[in-house]
Amino acid sequence: MPANAPDKNAAPPLPEPLRVPVADSHTHLDMQSGTVEEALAKAASVGVTTVVQVGCDLKGSRWAADTAAAYDAVHATVALHPNEAPRIVHGDPDGWSRQGAREPGGDAALDEALAEIDRLAALPQVKGVGETGLDYFRTGEEGKEAQERSFRAHIEIAKRHGKTLVIHDRDAHADVLRVLKEEGAPERTVFHCYSGDAEMAEICASAGYYMSFAGNVTFKNAQNLRDALAVAPLELVLVETDAPFLTPAPHRGRPNAPYLVPVTVRAMAAVRGIDEDALATALGANTARAFGY
Ligand SMILES: [Zn+2]
Ligand SMILES: [Zn+2]
């Protein structure tokens, strides 16, 4: 990096360690710099002793399963991301997909990919199916049908294997809740990077859905998330990084990683008005219960 470059790509400093260990309930180690060993060691040094590695496409899901098999501290989830399913059906004009599905594959290609997710979901180190759901921010009208079909298939896979469902819901709250209700949600369902308001938190609470809060709960403009966190039942609250995305304040814009979970935990404890250790104790137990490990 040139000497005059801004420091925005530099890793934020290590936070003060948590006294009670917690899990990062949703991360993407395969999109972060450094090795898995380095990421796990750095996280463990500040009390983040477990991570849930989330797959977003076939390649990432296989990687998640392999990584969870290799490290006790890692659990895996497998899925086609809500933005991946339409790419498989309609092609990927932007070339974003890491599996290179640039040619339209149609419904048959989606079925084939779902069959592979189904196979991976049976593995013991795979604790969840996701991230799946609906994303109306990145996927336009033409992709909605494929996205919803994929979401419904993931729900079915999660239920059949008795695995936790991990929901990605971006600008699609009502439809996500509707599809869950129509299909019947699995016993354990997690809204990752919870983005609803307090009213939706009440709906999630009554359905028993876990709400996982990410670094954006610390953002100045995210009072709605803090309001939701304030009313969510403590036993349904999780914490995550969604790293490398959503780095908590005051490090917003720099690369995120599991070792930054304590920053978000402290902000969450302040919102709830409870002691950091008490919150960490709940988060640790909740994540283990949510993912059945
Ligand atoms: Zn997501
Ligand atoms: Zn994610």
Side-chain angles (χ1 to χ4, degrees), residues 7-12 219 244-256:
D7 206 19
K8 66 175 169 37
N9 294 320
F219 295 174
F245 314 107
L246 298 173
T247 313
H251 309 302
R252 192 174 177 179
R254 293 165 74 179
N256 200 6

Side-chain angles (χ1 to χ4, degrees), residues 21 28 128 132 163 246:
H28 302 284
T132 181
K163 303 287 165 105
L246 298 173

Side-chain angles (χ1 to χ4, degrees), residues 26 28 54 56 131 192 242:
H26 186 114
H28 302 284
V54 174
C56 292
E131 53 184 295
H192 116 77
D242 201 18

Side-chain angles (χ1 to χ4, degrees), residues 91-161:
D92 181 20
D94 299 333
W96 182 92
S97 170
R98 277 161 293 123
Q99 71 169 20
R102 297 184 188 191
E103 297 303 318
D107 287 344
L110 180 57
D111 286 339
E112 206 176 297
L114 287 166
E116 173 70 5
I117 294 299
D118 191 352
R119 276 191 293 277
L120 291 168
L123 296 169
Q125 74 274 27
V126 173
K127 302 300 182 193
V129 174
E131 53 184 295
T132 181
L134 303 173
D135 186 324
Y136 294 167
F137 181 78
R138 294 238 177 264
T139 292
E141 202 57 46
E142 73 292 344
K144 274 189 174 180
E145 195 187 324
Q147 194 170 77
E148 185 166 323
R149 184 160 86 79
S150 178
F151 182 25
R152 288 181 190 275
H154 282 82
I155 296 171
E156 189 275 325
I157 292 169
K159 286 200 287 193
R160 186 156 34 79
H161 293 286

